[in-house]
Amino acid sequence: MSARPDEALTRWLLRPTARAAELAAAHETIVDVAVALLIAVASVAGLAIQARLGHADTIVFCVLLCAPLPFRGRSRSLCFTLVAGVALAQWLTSTPQIADVSVLVALYWLALDGPPAAIIAAGIVAEAGAVMAAARWSPTDVIKYWIGLSALGVASAVLGVSIRERRALLATMRERAARLEFERDQEGRLGAAAERARIAREMHDIVSHNLTVMIGLADGASYALQSSPETAGSAMQRVSATGRQALSEMRRLLGVLREDPTAEPFEPQPGLDRLDELLARVEAAGVPVSIEIEGDPHELSGGVQLAVFRVAQEALTNTLKHAGRPATARLALRITGGRVDLVVIDVAPVAPGAPGAPGAPGAPVAPGAPGPGGRGLHGMRERATAYGGTLEAGPLPDGGWRVHLSVAADVDAAVR
């Protein structure tokens, strides 16, 4: 599954910045020492150009101004306080030099990661230092000198705050990218689980029904083989036809698991127009079925038709499996008032393995427990729930089994 465009853009933006931030964080002390040495070297070079290296105070203040910078990792507030204190001493006793940039660097670091109150206090100190430096070291052009120093201080603080906000934004984007990836994977897992459940239901319906019909036909053929060879031959032909149909449906269902663009189009899912075919197979297996339809089944959506068809198929399959002989079944389908009601009733004598016996259609079933056919009852209930309906299944007082499905005729209404 490919990543979403916004997720890919987020990752592309984060990649170089994240690497630089990780590198700086992993070697913070080395970076601080390198910055301090760079400022010291630049200051010494400036003093050499100005022929001031002979003054001991300038060398001392160059070292003292740069020395607190490597302590940034312990406390940014402490680092700025030490540098500001040295700068105050320099203002009282010495002259300016390039090492005074340490004040701006310490202010930037504090604005980058320090608490808001400390940033405000440091800004006030830096502004006061700019006024004091302009008054003492440039008495003839105080305003111009003060504006230049103030601009540098404001730029340092604003740069630190801006990068701080950008880091927070990047952290949010990183969290969002991780959340999008998790949601994408979760959607994939949920979709795969739903598809597995759907395929399992369809496989159960196809295999259980068709095999049950084939077994019934084969048993009937074996009984009629001696007395009525023609009837036995007809039954075996039906066995062959039912087996081919089951194989075709299984191939169609398993075809969704293959990503073959050259494959032939799949057949549509069965609808209520195949009810007559279903009843004919059940009757051929030895259980007469009567049907009563009220309303127009063709007005229902394909999904609702599939759910009703599969429930009817499962109910009649359980009749073939568990009902005693002779058995009859009655199917009633009513489509009225925005609801679809399907009732399937089988009537058979009470016998071992028949209604009323443990595990048979007449046996009591605990709510939510798998009923006759293993996954059958559970699958029927899942289909009913998917379309905002209910399913009731249980024994009849006089023997037999009753299945009642009620779902919404309008799929959108069921979802609401």
Side-chain angles (χ1 to χ4, degrees):
M1 184 181 295
S2 60
R4 300 172 181 173
D6 54 351
E7 180 181 350
L9 177 61
T10 299
R11 290 180 174 177
W12 182 81
L13 290 173
L14 287 176
R15 192 176 294 119
T17 306
R19 289 177 180 175
E22 290 176 0
L23 182 63
H27 306 284
E28 186 177 83
T29 303
I30 296 177
V31 172
D32 296 346
V33 171
V35 170
L37 290 176
L38 181 62
I39 294 175
V41 170
S43 184
V44 170
L47 292 174
I49 293 174
Q50 298 174 3
R52 295 169 55 194
L53 285 178
H55 299 82
D57 61 319
T58 58
I59 300 299
V60 170
F61 281 112
C62 177
V63 174
L64 292 179
L65 285 168
C66 298
L69 296 182
F71 294 95
R72 189 250 306 207
R74 295 187 178 182
S75 173
R76 287 156 175 76
S77 299
L78 176 62
C79 175
F80 179 81
T81 301
L82 292 176
V83 173
V86 174
L88 176 62
Q90 178 195 25
W91 179 80
L92 293 172
T93 62
S94 186
T95 56
Q97 57 178 294
I98 296 178
D100 292 326
V101 174
S102 298
V103 177
L104 301 178
V105 173
L107 177 60
Y108 162 76
W109 282 344
L110 184 61
L112 190 63
D113 295 306
I119 297 174
I120 295 174
I124 295 174
V125 170
E127 185 63 24
V131 173
M132 294 167 61
R136 183 162 191 259
W137 291 326
S138 183
T140 59
D141 199 358
V142 176
I143 300 298
K144 184 178 179 180
Y145 199 86
W146 168 73
I147 291 176
L149 293 179
S150 296
L152 291 175
V154 171
S156 300
V158 170
L159 180 62
V161 172
S162 299
I163 295 180
R164 178 179 187 158
E165 295 297 327
R166 185 170 181 271
R167 285 183 178 179
L169 176 61
L170 291 177
T172 303
M173 295 174 67
R174 189 181 296 109
E175 181 183 357
R176 181 170 178 265
R179 185 174 67 254
L180 289 173
E181 184 175 1
F182 174 78
E183 291 176 354
R184 182 196 65 192
D185 295 341
Q186 187 178 42
E187 288 176 0
R189 289 192 296 268
L190 292 176
E195 185 65 11
R196 285 195 299 268
R198 186 190 70 82
I199 291 175
R201 288 196 303 268
E202 295 295 324
M203 287 287 290
H204 171 270
D205 293 339
I206 293 171
V207 174
S208 175
H209 171 74
N210 287 290
L211 287 182
T212 300
V213 171
M214 292 170 66
I215 292 171
L217 291 171
D219 288 343
S222 64
Y223 290 135
L225 184 60
Q226 299 297 330
S227 60
S228 180
E230 293 182 359
T231 303
S234 177
M236 293 308 298
Q237 289 178 359
R238 288 181 176 272
V239 169
S240 177
T242 302
R244 287 191 180 95
Q245 180 181 357
L247 183 61
S248 175
E249 291 185 5
M250 288 184 65
R251 284 175 176 171
R252 173 189 56 77
L253 181 62
L254 296 177
V256 301
L257 301 178
R258 300 193 303 266
E259 295 183 359
D260 185 4
T262 63
E264 297 181 359
F266 300 133
E267 296 180 2
Q269 294 279 22
L272 294 179
D273 55 346
R274 293 179 57 180
L275 268 180
D276 293 338
E277 180 183 340
L278 171 65
L279 301 185
R281 288 202 303 268
V282 175
E283 290 182 352
V287 177
V289 183
S290 62
I291 183 172
E292 176 186 348
I293 298 179
E294 180 181 342
D296 186 4
H298 299 91
E299 295 180 353
L300 302 176
S301 66
V304 174
Q305 290 193 42
L306 175 62
V308 174
F309 180 87
R310 289 305 190 195
V311 170
Q313 184 183 55
E314 179 63 28
L316 294 174
T317 299
N318 288 337
T319 299
L320 291 174
K321 284 182 180 179
H322 304 292
R325 297 296 188 269
T328 60
R330 184 170 71 254
L331 186 149
L333 176 62
R334 293 182 176 84
I335 307 169
T336 57
R339 302 292 299 181
V340 181
D341 289 281
L342 172 72
V343 178
V344 181
I345 298 175
D346 68 63
V347 180
V350 179
V365 180
R375 286 187 55 90
L377 185 57
H378 180 68
M380 288 192 290
R381 283 178 174 152
E382 283 186 344
R383 292 184 186 278
T385 303
Y387 290 94
T390 58
L391 184 129
E392 299 175 358
L396 296 173
D398 299 331
W401 186 263
R402 179 179 181 272
V403 175
H404 178 204
L405 169 71
S406 178
V407 297
D410 183 1
V411 178
D412 294 334
V415 173
R416 290 194 295 268

